[in-house]
Amino acid sequence: MSSKITVGLVAISLMWFTACHKPRSSKSVSQKPDIDTTLITRGPEPKDTIAADTAAADTVAVVPDAGEPMPAVKVAEVDFDYLTAKSKFSFKSAKQDFDNTNVNIRMKKDSIIWLSVTGVGLEVARGIITRDSIVFMDKIHRDYFVFNYDQLSKQYNFDLNFDLLQSVIIGNMPFEMQENGRFVKENDFYVLKQAVDRLEVDNYIAEKNQKLSRLKATEVPTQNTFTLDYEDFRAVGSFLFPFISHINLNVLSKEQQKLETTMRLKHSKVELVNQSPGFPFNVPSSYKRKR
């Protein structure tokens, strides 16, 4: 598989299922992320404005009235300043299928996700994801890609943002508890049911460790869904950390065709650190922007 395909799939497939267009207001976000570069070449922003579907934009999800409500459950989450991980990423759809692509990850919580894709011992691509943009360099073909969340939302028929992507990597709940949220008991899980903009969200909290074990989100009115399952919890510092994330995404295309995509992110090593690991990212002036 060419590095160009790898770059596009790692960038987009990690992003396209993230599902809430509003940032979490309670986050304390650094105004000047500590990216180790003085230049990120992004090129001119597209001049055309992406228009949202009026009917869909006016639709708001509601918390379903199901099961007996119960008191709130304290969810065990991972807290950190910075994170580094060595991981493998797999992807399967009707058109593409690749397994165990090597990805090195660095994060500053709530601000930056930095990715380095390697093959045969060499770095073939590098990307940086912030709260407002995604930039990826293809180092083999010497070009780069720039996305914003509105563009990806329109292309993949799902509202996108930074917070759910971060949750895929670290296993925290992507949406904070809201006044209209309610807990119910289902077998060995406490299920937090939420309504977030156009999403009906079920968070499955395992009774045995109070960790988020599954997240299922359904977009209203499209009924596009994704399911995220966490496995292989291990101790990292004082926290339980999921070393495997499985994602299953089912959406309808603009042509009303059902599209199913499965993804897996598997960490081999995770470290939570207090000092910045660095986020070097500089697009050489000789690279061409791909559209």
Side-chain angles (χ1 to χ4, degrees), residues 263-282:
M263 293 164 264
R264 184 187 70 223
L265 182 65
K266 184 175 183 180
H267 306 302
S268 60
K269 182 179 181 180
V270 176
E271 292 183 313
L272 308 178
V273 296
N274 295 323
Q275 299 296 319
S276 172
F279 303 94
F281 195 89
N282 183 36

Side-chain angles (χ1 to χ4, degrees), residues 13-284:
S13 62
L14 277 174
M15 294 305 302
W16 72 335
F17 54 86
T18 48
C20 175
H21 63 274
K22 293 183 179 179
R24 298 169 72 174
S25 59
S26 62
K27 296 289 187 186
S28 176
V29 180
S30 170
Q31 298 299 314
K32 295 182 179 180
D34 49 348
I35 303 172
D36 297 344
T37 180
T38 58
L39 174 64
I40 296 180
T41 305
R42 296 185 179 179
E45 291 297 324
K47 294 181 179 180
D48 55 310
T49 301
I50 299 174
D53 179 79
T54 303
D58 291 340
T59 303
V60 177
V62 296
V63 177
D65 185 13
E68 291 294 325
M70 57 175 289
V73 174
K74 182 175 176 59
V75 182
E77 298 206 316
V78 179
D79 191 20
F80 64 96
D81 294 321
Y82 298 95
L83 174 149
T84 63
K86 294 184 180 296
S87 312
K88 290 184 180 292
F89 183 71
S90 301
F91 177 96
K92 184 175 182 179
S93 69
K95 296 182 179 180
Q96 298 289 343
D97 186 351
F98 67 88
D99 193 40
N100 291 330
T101 296
N102 294 314
V103 182
N104 293 313
I105 301 173
R106 300 178 185 180
M107 294 178 60
K108 180 179 180 180
K109 188 181 179 185
D110 302 330
S111 296
I112 305 168
I113 300 172
W114 179 96
L115 304 171
S116 174
V117 181
T118 59
V120 198
L122 298 174
E123 184 182 51
V124 297
R126 185 177 296 187
I128 195 158
I129 302 169
T130 65
R131 299 195 72 86
D132 60 6
S133 65
I134 305 108
V135 187
F136 265 76
M137 288 188 291
D138 181 344
K139 302 184 95 174
I140 301 300
H141 297 87
R142 301 177 65 83
D143 52 30
Y144 69 102
F145 308 81
V146 181
F147 308 99
N148 61 49
Y149 295 100
D150 286 339
Q151 290 171 311
L152 292 180
S153 296
K154 182 178 181 181
Q155 184 173 356
Y156 293 105
N157 200 26
F158 239 79
D159 291 330
L160 309 176
N161 86 337
F162 180 93
D163 292 311
L164 189 54
L165 176 59
Q166 176 175 260
S167 296
V168 168
I169 297 172
I170 67 176
N172 285 353
M173 287 177 49
F175 310 115
E176 293 183 344
M177 183 65 183
Q178 300 154 332
E179 291 184 2
N180 65 347
R182 62 199 299 270
F183 278 94
V184 299
K185 186 71 164 60
E186 292 185 13
N187 300 319
D188 295 329
F189 297 95
Y190 305 111
V191 183
L192 172 58
K193 295 182 175 291
Q194 297 175 292
V196 184
D197 296 330
R198 291 184 289 163
L199 294 177
E200 294 177 353
V201 183
D202 288 344
N203 304 269
Y204 288 79
I205 314 303
E207 185 176 13
K208 62 182 180 181
N209 57 18
Q210 293 187 294
K211 290 290 298 182
L212 179 65
S213 295
R214 166 176 282 198
L215 183 141
K216 182 178 181 180
T218 303
E219 188 180 48
V220 179
T222 65
Q223 297 302 299
N224 291 341
T225 64
F226 70 81
T227 304
L228 168 60
D229 288 289
Y230 298 107
E231 298 177 2
D232 192 16
F233 288 90
R234 306 182 196 177
V236 176
S238 59
F239 304 101
L240 271 181
F241 197 101
F243 271 61
I244 298 177
S245 301
H246 289 283
I247 304 99
N248 183 270
L249 173 66
N250 286 280
V251 303
L252 286 177
S253 69
K254 294 179 180 179
E255 294 76 26
Q256 298 300 300
Q257 294 180 330
K258 184 177 179 180
L259 304 176
E260 181 176 3
T261 302
T262 59
M263 293 164 264
R264 184 187 70 223
L265 182 65
K266 184 175 183 180
H267 306 302
S268 60
K269 182 179 181 180
V270 176
E271 292 183 313
L272 308 178
V273 296
N274 295 323
Q275 299 296 319
S276 172
F279 303 94
F281 195 89
N282 183 36
V283 179

